[in-house]
Amino acid sequence: MSTPPMKTAFDLTYVEYHEGDIIGFLSAGVSLAPVFAIVAYVSVILARREIITIAALAGQLGNTILNVVIKKIIDAPRPDGTHLSGPGMPSNHSQFVFFTATFWSLHILNKNAVHIFSRAPQYGNAARLIVSAGLYFMAFAVAFSRVYLDYHFAGQVFVGSTLGILIGGVWYKIVQHILLPLFRKHFADSFWCRFMLIRDSHHVPDILQLEYHTTRKFKSRK
């Protein structure tokens, strides 16, 4: 009788920490942020069909692929004692979350792209800064968790974080100055975009308010 192959853990969601260590417990939780982010991306795309979210996810996936390629080239070991296999330079988690924080912070801080508190604009700037700070706080928490839980050396996290910031910033500029203008000019009114309901709502001052009143008008007509 042949011996069955050994089982292995799914490293993406398998996180170890010392029992009774509250910081380790919290670190294990925040280190799952990339998984929650992907779920959020897919959920928002299916619900909203906004081209900016689709572009962000495409950049996020490209960022992850680039991380895997760099890891293979550098082939640097992880700290001793970690259960994770494979190279650790640069940290994929850090690169992922700092790409997310940078891309969406730039988008949120772009007043021409995102309208916040259209009925109370005096609070808009403060809200933008608070949301952006929250994104970076979460990114720093994830980066810290990878070192605290002994999955990466501090240098691997630093390089991953730096790459995430650089790639996120460059990708946002590409999306804003190249991809979105191309979409608006050549694809927004195409058959497939109309069929899939893919849209660009940057010109709408308050999309939630518009949808609310549109829904009420539709109900009154019915």
Side-chain angles (χ1 to χ4, degrees):
M1 182 181 294
S2 60
T3 304
M6 294 182 62
K7 293 184 178 181
T8 185
F10 185 54
D11 290 341
L12 184 62
T13 56
Y14 181 60
V15 185
E16 291 182 335
Y17 65 95
H18 294 292
E19 186 176 359
D21 182 1
I22 184 62
I23 298 178
F25 173 77
L26 295 174
S27 296
V30 299
S31 68
L32 297 177
V35 179
F36 297 140
I38 291 297
V39 173
Y41 270 121
V42 174
S43 300
V44 172
I45 288 173
L46 291 176
R48 306 297 306 170
R49 315 294 176 93
E50 289 285 348
I51 186 63
I52 186 65
T53 314
I54 297 172
L57 177 58
Q60 194 80 74
L61 296 177
N63 176 61
T64 300
I65 293 171
L66 180 61
N67 176 271
V68 173
V69 172
I70 295 174
K71 274 185 175 179
K72 294 291 185 181
I73 294 173
I74 298 178
D75 197 25
R78 295 175 183 268
D80 294 334
T82 179
H83 73 272
L84 293 179
S85 58
M89 171 67 87
S91 165
N92 184 25
H93 279 70
S94 301
Q95 189 170 328
F96 186 105
V97 293
F98 274 94
F99 175 98
T100 304
T102 301
F103 183 94
W104 287 111
S105 289
L106 289 173
H107 187 62
I108 290 166
L109 294 172
N110 184 356
K111 296 181 181 180
N112 295 323
V114 178
H115 305 278
I116 297 179
F117 293 140
S118 59
R119 287 172 289 181
Q122 65 272 25
Y123 302 116
N125 290 335
R128 294 173 195 276
L129 292 175
I130 290 172
V131 174
S132 297
L135 289 172
Y136 275 105
F137 175 81
M138 179 57 69
F140 277 109
V142 172
F144 169 81
S145 75
R146 304 311 287 172
V147 177
Y148 186 85
L149 296 173
D150 291 327
Y151 288 131
H152 289 284
F153 294 108
Q156 296 173 346
V157 165
F158 176 78
V159 173
S161 302
T162 303
L163 283 174
I165 292 172
L166 292 175
I167 297 170
V170 170
W171 182 244
Y172 184 75
K173 294 299 182 182
I174 291 174
V175 169
Q176 280 295 316
H177 298 292
I178 299 177
L179 298 185
L180 287 183
L182 285 175
F183 173 81
R184 291 161 188 163
K185 185 175 181 179
H186 299 290
F187 301 103
D189 294 324
S190 66
F191 168 79
W192 286 110
C193 284
R194 286 186 282 114
F195 178 76
M196 299 295 294
L197 304 179
I198 298 174
R199 59 184 177 175
D200 174 28
S201 302
H202 80 284
H203 57 285
V204 181
D206 192 330
I207 187 66
L208 293 178
Q209 186 181 29
L210 174 65
E211 291 178 348
Y212 173 78
H213 290 298
T214 301
T215 303
R216 289 183 62 83
K217 288 179 181 178
F218 182 80
K219 181 180 179 180
S220 63
R221 287 197 218 104
K222 296 284 286 185

